[in-house]
């Protein structure tokens, strides 16, 4: 086992390095870099007018710099580190990342770590509620569909979850805003943030109710589309196990259907779901949906990533990419280890091939 884990950890290094290197190279050719963004702000034209220019803040005669003092321009380039060559900046970035130093944001004037931590509560709230509600509803529903396979209940429930899967989350969010957010019909739910302005003054029961009141619409918009995948995966896993010989043997011994289902089928059928728990659970912390967060005015990781790309805030873009890629690789390793622990038929030697 330890040999397999060591091999996987060693493979992570070139994978992570490849992702970071490719992204770093690409952003060198993105027009309207952070130097141009700040120059335009200084000229009173706003940060949003940086398109169509020179790459990432390096040299060149970018038209947005006209009318800016050359000394001031050099100071701005030194401020962002663009007075150094791309190769030197790349090497410095790798050394920082090796120390888990994600750098400083160009425009927020704080560390990337503190930015990510400050946005986590929103993404955690939406992600964890989506995760728990999806599994708490979809797993029992999938089992019920497998037991009643081919029945009217199976057909109707399949239609409902597939319709929910076909509707994009942001479209459902817009519909709920129109119906329940004061758009056209009823003003039943708030439209901004996770809590009210007077949240600190509320009692603990009041705070809980206020929080649940605020997350109802965004969580509903996020979770509905997730039901179909987990439900159908659960149903198909149970159907596959129900048809196996050991189930027929257990029934022939006179065991009740309940004992056959929960004592013999349940563990084997849930292996695909259990092994996916680590990835789904960790992903809940970092799976901020840009469209959902924008639609409901929630300041989470999704909006942070999007705004960082627009403003060419490269430390945030590269730092968050580095962190999330590393977490994804480690989570994949944990998922594989869980697969072996849950299913003793799987051996580490087989996973290596």
């Amino acid at each position: 086992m330890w040999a397999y884990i060591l091999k996987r950890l060693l493979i992570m290094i070139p994978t992570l390095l490849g992702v970071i290197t490719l992204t770093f190279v690409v952003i060198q050719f993105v027009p309207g870099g952070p130097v141009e963004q700040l120059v335009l702000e200084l000229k009173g034209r706003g940060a949003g007018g940086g398109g169509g220019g020179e790459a990432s803040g390096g040299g060149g005669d970018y038209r947005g710099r006209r009318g800016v003092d050359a000394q001031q321009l050099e100071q701005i380039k030194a401020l962002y580190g663009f007075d150094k060559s791309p190769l030197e900046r790349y090497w410095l970035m790798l050394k920082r990342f090796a120390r888990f130093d994600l750098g400083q944001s160009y425009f927020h004037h704080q560390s990337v770590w503190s930015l990510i931590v400050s946005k986590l509560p929103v993404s955690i709230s939406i992600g964890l509620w989506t995760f728990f509600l999806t599994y708490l509803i979809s797993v029992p529903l999938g089992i019920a569909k497998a037991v009643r396979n081919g029945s009217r209940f199976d057909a109707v429930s399949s239609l409902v979850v597939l319709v929910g899967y076909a509707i994009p989350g942001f479209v459902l969010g817009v519909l709920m805003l129109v119906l329940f957010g004061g758009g056209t019909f009823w003003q039943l739910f708030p439209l901004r943030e996770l809590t009210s302005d007077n949240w600190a003054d509320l009692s603990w029961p009041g705070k809980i109710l206020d929080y649940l009141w605020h997350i109802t619409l965004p969580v509903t918009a996020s979770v509905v589309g997730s039901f179909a995948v987990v439900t159908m995966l659960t149903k198909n896993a149970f159907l596959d196990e129900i048809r196996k010989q050991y189930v027929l043997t257990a029934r022939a011994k006179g065991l009740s259907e309940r004992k056959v289902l929960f004592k013999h089928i349940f563990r084997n059928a849930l292996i695909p779901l259990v092994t996916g728990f680590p990835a789904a659970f960790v992903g809940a912390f970092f799976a901020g949906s840009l469209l959902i967060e924008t639609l409901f005015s929630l300041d989470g990781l999704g909006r942070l990533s999007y705004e960082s790309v627009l403003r060419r805030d490269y430390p945030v873009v590269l730092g968050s990419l580095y962190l999330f890629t590393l977490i994804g690789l480690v989570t994949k390793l944990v998922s594989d280890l869980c697969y072996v622990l849950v299913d003793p038929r799987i051996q580490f030697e087989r996973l290596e091939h």
Side-chain angles (χ1 to χ4, degrees):
M1 179 179 75
W2 293 111
Y4 172 75
I5 294 176
L6 180 60
K7 288 182 180 180
R8 288 291 300 271
L9 291 176
L10 292 175
I11 291 174
M12 289 181 190
I13 297 176
T15 303
L16 186 61
L17 191 62
V19 172
I20 295 300
T21 302
L22 180 61
T23 306
F24 182 85
V25 171
V26 168
I27 66 175
Q28 302 309 305
F29 302 97
V30 175
V35 172
E36 286 72 31
Q37 298 275 338
L38 183 56
V39 167
L40 291 175
E41 287 185 4
L42 294 176
K43 293 171 63 176
R45 291 169 53 183
E54 179 258 337
S56 76
D61 185 17
Y62 174 60
R63 65 184 182 183
R65 297 172 176 175
R66 296 172 186 172
V68 178
D69 182 77
Q71 183 178 359
Q72 185 182 31
L73 181 59
E74 292 301 320
Q75 291 175 349
I76 295 174
K77 291 170 67 175
L79 175 66
Y80 291 146
F82 288 109
D83 56 332
K84 302 178 179 66
S85 67
L87 187 60
E88 186 178 358
R89 286 188 280 116
Y90 173 73
W91 176 244
L92 291 174
M93 178 191 67
L94 290 184
K95 290 200 297 185
R96 287 201 319 271
F97 285 174
R99 304 190 306 267
F100 290 96
D101 178 7
L102 303 184
Q104 297 284 323
S105 169
Y106 290 154
F107 297 99
H108 294 277
H109 305 295
Q110 61 184 111
S111 69
V112 177
W113 273 112
S114 62
L115 267 177
I116 292 176
V117 170
S118 67
K119 309 299 182 183
L120 269 179
V122 170
S123 297
I124 288 176
S125 294
I126 303 301
L128 287 184
W129 278 109
T130 301
F131 171 81
F132 285 120
L133 288 176
T134 297
Y135 278 88
L136 286 175
I137 295 174
S138 297
V139 172
L141 179 59
I143 296 174
K145 287 172 62 61
V147 173
R148 299 172 177 83
N149 183 43
S151 66
R152 179 178 298 179
F153 168 80
D154 181 34
V156 172
S157 58
S158 294
L159 177 63
V160 171
V161 296
L162 290 176
V163 168
Y165 180 74
I167 300 176
F170 72 93
V171 174
L172 181 61
V174 170
L175 178 62
M176 289 191 297
L177 283 177
V178 171
L179 293 176
F180 308 115
T184 304
F185 295 91
W186 304 283
Q187 178 70 56
L188 300 180
F189 296 96
L191 304 180
R192 293 179 178 274
E193 306 301 334
L194 292 179
T195 56
S196 300
D197 294 335
N198 65 334
W199 189 80
D201 301 326
L202 299 175
S203 63
W204 277 110
K207 289 181 179 180
I208 294 174
L209 290 176
D210 182 74
Y211 168 73
L212 295 176
W213 181 45
H214 278 75
I215 67 170
T216 297
L217 293 186
V219 168
T220 302
S222 299
V223 77
V224 168
S226 306
F227 286 148
V229 175
V230 180
T231 300
M232 301 310 293
L233 178 62
T234 303
K235 175 190 174 182
N236 292 334
F238 269 80
L239 285 178
D240 185 55
E241 294 296 324
I242 287 173
R243 299 188 181 103
K244 291 186 176 179
Q245 184 64 42
Y246 74 90
V247 176
L248 298 177
T249 303
R251 286 172 175 166
K253 290 181 178 180
L255 294 179
S256 65
E257 284 296 318
R258 185 179 183 85
K259 285 188 176 181
V260 171
L261 179 63
F262 290 103
K263 187 176 180 180
H264 294 274
I265 299 175
F266 192 78
R267 179 182 175 182
N268 293 331
L270 286 186
I271 286 176
L273 295 174
V274 172
T275 54
F277 275 179
F281 187 77
V282 174
F285 287 81
F286 302 100
S289 171
L290 167 64
L291 294 173
I292 296 297
E293 291 177 6
T294 302
L295 185 62
F296 293 98
S297 301
L298 302 175
D299 192 14
L301 291 174
R303 285 184 63 182
L304 174 65
S305 301
Y306 177 69
E307 291 172 357
S308 299
V309 171
L310 286 184
R311 303 192 70 179
R312 310 295 192 263
D313 198 347
Y314 295 141
V316 178
V317 174
L318 289 167
S320 57
L321 177 66
Y322 166 75
L323 179 62
F324 298 159
T325 303
L326 181 60
I327 291 174
L329 291 172
V330 173
T331 302
K332 184 65 173 67
L333 173 59
V334 174
S335 297
D336 289 344
L337 296 178
C338 289
Y339 204 105
V340 175
L341 294 175
V342 173
D343 190 353
R345 295 171 296 179
I346 305 297
Q347 302 297 323
F348 283 104
E349 291 76 9
R350 296 180 183 179
L351 292 176
E352 294 177 3
H353 299 289

